[in-house]
Amino acid sequence: MWTDKFGHGRQAISGEVFVFLNRSRTHIKLLHWESGGFVLYYKRLEQGTFPVPKDPKQELSWSELVLMIEGIQVVKSIQKKRFYLP
């Protein structure tokens, strides 16, 4: 049965990207809603694994997601404060 909620009361059609990793962390799927339907992105690594975020249930920023997909692991970083509109 289809449900339009993905844990913690989130809507599948909200525009968010949902990230799924397999147990061995060699496959990643990104599920995203665009007007007219869902888009599923899939990547399988030939070698190596995807890094797991420190808190798997916490939201990732777009830059963190891109780094994760590209296999870049930042050991230490400092993000300077920037002005953002509310």
Side-chain angles (χ1 to χ4, degrees):
M1 179 175 161
W2 171 256
T3 178
D4 63 348
K5 293 194 177 199
F6 281 88
H8 304 294
R10 299 189 173 221
Q11 296 289 328
I13 60 173
S14 66
E16 294 178 286
V17 177
F18 295 89
V19 180
F20 302 94
L21 288 169
N22 67 337
R23 286 183 192 212
S24 59
R25 298 188 341 248
T26 56
H27 300 69
I28 190 168
K29 292 180 184 177
L30 307 175
L31 182 66
H32 174 69
W33 172 264
E34 289 186 3
S35 60
F38 285 102
V39 178
L40 181 67
Y41 299 95
Y42 176 78
K43 184 171 184 177
R44 186 188 87 179
L45 297 178
E46 294 296 325
Q47 60 179 333
T49 59
F50 290 105
V52 175
K54 293 176 185 173
D55 183 3
K57 296 186 181 192
Q58 184 179 3
E59 291 183 16
L60 293 174
S61 69
W62 181 253
S63 57
E64 290 171 328
L65 178 61
V66 170
L67 291 173
M68 184 174 133
I69 292 170
E70 292 299 324
I72 300 170
Q73 191 169 10
V74 178
V75 177
K76 183 178 179 182
S77 69
I78 300 172
Q79 185 171 357
K80 302 290 183 179
K81 289 186 179 182
R82 298 285 188 246
F83 174 77
Y84 293 103
L85 291 174

